[in-house]
Amino acid sequence: MAVIETVDLKKSYHKHSVVRGINLQVQEGEIFGFLGRNGAGKTTFINMLTGIVLPTSGQFRILGVSNNQLDRVKHKVGVLPDYTEFYANDTALEHLQFFAKIQKHTVTKQQCMDLLEQVGLKDAIHVKTKKFSFGMKKKLGVAQAVIGNPELIFLDEPTSGMDPESALEMQKFIRTLASQNKTIFMTSHNLNEVEKLCSRIAIMKKGIISGLGTIEQLQKQFQTNIETTIKLFPKNEASYRQARDEIENWTSVKYWDNHQLTTEIRDESDIARIVHSLCNVDTDIFAIQTNRPSLEDIFMND
Amino acid sequence: MIAIWKKEFIQSFRSVFSLITIAIFIAVSYYLSDFVSKSSIITGIEFAEAGYVSGLVFLIYIMGFLFIFSLFHDTINRETESRTIRFLVTKTSRPAIILGKLLGIFSYWFVCLLASFSIIAFFSHQFYIKTFGSLFVMLTYIVALCVLMSCLIPKRSMSMFAGLLISIAIPTFGLWSLLSDKLWLKVIKYITPYHYMLEGGTWGWLVVLLFAAIMVGISILSLHRRDL
């Protein structure tokens, strides 16, 4: 079942188009990553789906409910907006209790305290948020997004501003949420984090989605060649040279010596052909390594 | 809506100025009631009600705009300016935010007025329910206008300035219009609440309530159509 479904969703400010017609489906239980450079339109897109910003045109459905009836499902949706500022004179606990009450969730004080402990705010439960650092505000933002056990959670850069240890703890927490069959829609500038957490990824560029799929699908979509390195030992150097010349006829050999052959191939099935050629000239093969493009490579080359 | 109502109500008591406002209302009620209860033996009981409530009528009719705008001019725009409204709007409907805020402010003034009338009742041995009702209608109008301004003006500093101007302009021109035949003042007469409250007869207060309802409606619409 599609938890999020958008049809030609657009947003313009005056004459400037920020989101230029997005069609997207996010399935139940997914951790969906949304990537893009600053100003690509990610936050505007999330803000439309969460009711903060109104679409210029197009439609969307959240948990089966259309955008003009969004209020009906707000109690099932948790949101961490991009800008997390709180009521300065209220404590972290008071915030959680207040936000839970707005959504008419029955949450005990102990449950709120447990949640604050889970996001790493154990020592700041009774501290007023005006004393919070940016990272602490992010943690409280995540806590308020998941209070009341929502089915769908939007997280706009959940680990930005956090120290590496806290960021890892937060990633663990997000994984725990996903294991409870919650759908998570997140944006992040940390590509490594997205690669580790997300089951599917969309890359947004200038208001449109330029890439969409699993990491493997994106790698296939964006890769031109696979770099393959073979560690070897030729028993007959002359025959090995001949084989290398034959391989070079149909691949691009980048480097070779008597211990290693590095070549670029179009498809992984080509590896078998190279191995076959090398074995025919009595060359021992110790290891084969292929380098697929990382998410960073895809993102940077997009 | 109830959570926002409760929060706004509790928050109303957190500022020093709100406590001073309550203290002014209570002090005026107490000292005036004390004075009237002692002097009504001379002036006669038929003038007693006017005497007892005159202080509160003055405070609300003349100073009401100033009190309410000083305390609540930034009810909505402080949320939009600090962007805390983004948390609210992702959890509840936009009309619920406006109505919750309105009810919170109404509750504050209800408590303030009730405390004042209770003091008067202590001295007069009567609760002047009709005057209480008419003053609360006047407060409703002012609160609705205050929330509307807070929705329409995005910056807190601007709403404070506008509130100050309104606090001077409406009582001045509203009351002046009752005594003048000038055409431009007649227009003001029909858009300010004084004509309906003081010259509107039995049902004049309903027009004031209608004005308040229209202003609440515009507030909801203005927030409904806006990116936050």
Side-chain angles (χ1 to χ4, degrees):
Chain A
M1 178 197 153
V3 172
I4 302 170
E5 199 175 352
T6 71
V7 180
D8 200 25
L9 200 60
K10 290 178 185 170
K11 179 68 186 176
S12 305
Y13 291 102
H14 304 292
K15 284 180 181 174
H16 177 60
S17 288
V18 180
V19 176
R20 298 186 298 154
I22 289 190
N23 296 292
L24 183 71
Q25 280 198 346
V26 177
Q27 303 301 320
E28 192 178 348
E30 274 193 279
I31 305 185
F32 193 91
F34 214 53
L35 286 174
R37 292 186 171 91
N38 290 333
K42 310 182 295 291
T43 295
T44 306
F45 183 67
I46 280 199
N47 285 348
M48 279 194 282
L49 299 184
T50 54
I52 294 171
V53 164
L54 308 171
T56 307
S57 66
Q59 289 173 337
F60 66 86
R61 293 176 81 83
I62 298 287
L63 297 166
V65 165
S66 69
N67 50 311
N68 43 22
Q69 293 179 310
L70 201 59
D71 291 341
R72 278 176 51 200
V73 289
K74 280 183 178 173
H75 64 287
K76 293 181 188 172
V77 179
V79 183
L80 167 72
D82 63 323
Y83 186 89
T84 38
E85 203 52 64
F86 293 95
Y87 301 106
N89 289 313
D90 288 353
T91 65
L93 180 64
E94 284 167 347
H95 272 94
L96 282 200
Q97 288 175 318
F98 171 59
F99 289 135
K101 276 181 198 161
I102 292 180
Q103 288 181 304
K104 293 172 187 159
H105 293 310
T106 313
V107 180
T108 63
K109 186 179 174 184
Q110 190 56 48
Q111 284 172 318
C112 290
M113 287 165 74
D114 290 345
L115 181 56
L116 287 169
E117 193 178 334
Q118 282 180 64
V119 295
L121 287 175
K122 189 185 176 185
D123 300 326
I125 289 172
H126 299 291
V127 176
K128 288 182 177 177
T129 55
K130 64 181 169 191
K131 291 179 182 167
F132 274 26
S133 66
F134 185 76
M136 288 165 86
K137 284 178 185 171
K138 272 284 171 190
K139 289 176 186 176
L140 181 57
V142 173
Q144 66 78 35
V146 301
I147 191 96
N149 211 15
E151 291 173 28
L152 170 62
I153 304 163
F154 290 93
L155 301 172
D156 200 347
E157 295 181 29
T159 58
S160 73
M162 285 184 196
D163 57 82
E165 195 185 337
S166 298
L168 285 172
E169 284 297 315
M170 191 52 73
Q171 287 171 15
K172 207 171 142 189
F173 182 65
I174 292 168
R175 255 191 231 109
T176 311
L177 292 172
S179 69
Q180 295 161 6
N181 204 35
K182 294 182 192 306
T183 310
I184 298 167
F185 188 99
M186 62 179 281
T187 70
S188 178
H189 284 303
N190 186 339
L191 301 175
N192 183 35
E193 177 179 282
V194 172
E195 204 163 2
K196 276 199 285 183
L197 286 175
C198 299
S199 46
R200 273 203 311 152
I201 294 163
I203 297 174
M204 198 168 182
K205 190 181 179 185
K206 293 178 182 172
I208 54 163
I209 289 177
S210 60
L212 173 68
T214 61
I215 296 273
E216 292 75 25
Q217 286 168 339
L218 285 172
Q219 281 169 335
K220 271 192 179 168
Q221 188 182 332
F222 284 88
Q223 79 186 11
T224 48
N225 290 313
I226 305 167
E227 192 180 272
T228 307
T229 301
I230 299 169
K231 304 277 183 193
L232 46 80
F233 180 75
K235 288 177 184 161
N236 185 327
E237 282 187 28
S239 306
Y240 168 60
R241 269 194 207 97
Q242 267 183 357
R244 200 249 327 149
D245 289 344
E246 192 265 317
I247 290 166
E248 200 165 21
N249 285 336
W250 56 276
T251 69
S252 165
V253 175
K254 291 178 83 181
Y255 175 81
W256 76 277
D257 62 19
N258 283 347
H259 306 287
Q260 182 179 318
L261 175 71
T262 301
T263 179
E264 277 188 343
I265 54 174
R266 288 239 169 237
D267 193 272
E268 276 182 339
S269 61
D270 292 339
I271 295 170
R273 200 171 153 191
I274 295 170
V275 169
H276 186 73
S277 301
L278 293 170
C279 289
N280 278 348
V281 292
D282 211 11
T283 300
D284 291 336
I285 294 170
F286 302 111
I288 301 170
Q289 188 186 347
T290 55
N291 288 328
R292 286 189 163 277
S294 66
L295 189 56
E296 193 176 336
D297 297 330
I298 294 166
F299 186 71
M300 295 309 288
N301 291 329
D302 180 35
Chain B
M1 185 175 80
I2 292 165
I4 297 170
W5 172 2
K6 200 175 151 193
K7 185 176 173 61
E8 190 66 27
F9 178 61
I10 294 166
Q11 205 172 307
S12 304
F13 291 94
R14 280 188 176 175
S15 79
V16 177
F17 189 63
S18 71
L19 296 175
I20 291 172
T21 303
I22 292 176
I24 290 170
F25 272 73
I26 288 173
V28 166
S29 305
Y30 177 80
Y31 287 110
L32 206 64
S33 299
D34 189 37
F35 174 75
V36 172
S37 65
K38 282 171 186 163
S39 57
S40 63
I41 302 156
I42 308 156
T43 55
I45 202 81
E46 67 271 21
F47 298 111
E49 180 175 358
Y52 280 119
V53 299
S54 59
L56 290 178
V57 170
F58 173 80
L59 281 178
I60 289 170
Y61 275 56
I62 310 294
M63 306 290 287
F65 284 93
L66 192 65
F67 280 124
I68 292 171
F69 273 91
S70 304
L71 283 169
F72 302 108
H73 69 91
D74 60 350
T75 300
I76 301 294
N77 59 13
R78 73 162 178 261
E79 300 268 6
T80 47
E81 214 173 75
S82 67
R83 300 200 196 175
T84 45
I85 201 158
R86 290 187 168 194
F87 289 116
L88 303 182
V89 89
T90 56
K91 294 179 192 304
T92 189
S93 68
R94 294 177 186 218
I97 297 170
I98 298 273
L99 294 175
K101 293 269 181 190
L102 269 169
L103 288 172
I105 304 171
F106 283 146
S107 303
Y108 168 84
W109 285 106
F110 184 81
V111 168
C112 192
L113 215 55
L114 192 66
S116 304
F117 271 81
S118 300
I119 289 166
I120 292 170
F122 177 76
F123 284 97
S124 66
H125 307 291
Q126 270 192 74
F127 193 89
Y128 299 114
I129 188 90
K130 216 174 155 185
T131 315
F132 179 87
S134 73
L135 288 181
F136 200 71
V137 167
M138 188 68 184
L139 281 174
T140 305
Y141 176 93
I142 306 171
V143 170
L145 179 62
C146 182
V147 170
L148 174 63
M149 297 304 286
S150 184
C151 282
L152 296 179
I153 301 171
K155 293 238 178 276
R156 293 169 75 183
S157 52
M158 284 300 291
S159 66
M160 194 168 81
F161 180 67
L164 196 67
L165 288 181
I166 286 169
S167 304
I168 298 165
I170 293 187
T172 307
F173 292 111
L175 290 169
W176 183 15
S177 68
L178 298 180
L179 310 167
S180 173
D181 288 329
K182 287 178 181 164
L183 186 68
W184 67 275
L185 275 171
K186 274 189 178 171
V187 176
I188 289 172
K189 182 176 170 177
Y190 292 108
I191 56 169
T192 55
Y194 297 102
H195 165 66
Y196 304 103
M197 294 304 291
L198 301 172
E199 300 174 339
T202 319
W203 303 105
W205 60 274
L206 272 177
V207 180
V208 178
L209 276 188
L210 181 69
F211 276 159
I214 290 168
M215 287 189 282
V216 172
I218 297 170
S219 303
I220 291 171
L221 274 178
S222 77
L223 196 69
H224 208 70
R225 289 159 177 245
R226 198 192 308 169
D227 293 336
L228 298 168

